[in-house]
Amino acid sequence: MTYSARLANSYFGEWELYIIVEGHADDWPVHSYGRTSPTPTLAERTAALAGLGYEATDGAAWEWMEMDNEDGEAVEFRGSFEVRPIGEAP
């Protein structure tokens, strides 16, 4: 089974990586980077995924989306990536 991993700024402005799974968002696996910048590197994201027990699916690539802020403030970016539990067959 595959899931979507997301990299985004939390409500506190710090980067976090979370896996969208069944159930309530409070129960999703999450890794906080504890910083607002710089954006976590690919190596940091890969290590965080492994720490949560997930790995990239075959051919997965990060996709980035710009989130417009209605009141004219800075835009936010969110990345998503397809993952699976470590060791699960494709």
Side-chain angles (χ1 to χ4, degrees):
M1 176 173 273
T2 62
Y3 302 92
S4 181
R6 300 253 173 99
L7 178 70
N9 286 89
S10 71
Y11 292 111
F12 304 108
E14 295 179 345
W15 286 106
E16 64 183 16
L17 177 76
Y18 56 92
I19 313 297
I20 299 174
V21 297
E22 299 280 334
H24 192 272
D26 288 339
D27 299 326
W28 294 348
V30 63
H31 172 83
S32 177
Y33 292 93
R35 67 177 195 249
T36 57
S37 66
T39 304
T41 66
L42 180 57
E44 289 175 312
R45 289 177 261 152
T46 301
L49 284 171
L52 295 173
Y54 291 83
E55 63 187 358
T57 60
D58 295 335
W62 282 95
E63 295 180 19
W64 296 93
M65 184 174 23
E66 183 175 320
M67 311 295 289
D68 290 328
N69 191 335
E70 293 181 18
D71 57 6
E73 293 181 15
V75 297
E76 297 177 33
F77 291 96
R78 178 176 297 159
S80 64
F81 190 66
E82 291 300 308
V83 298
R84 65 175 171 245
I86 292 174
E88 186 174 284

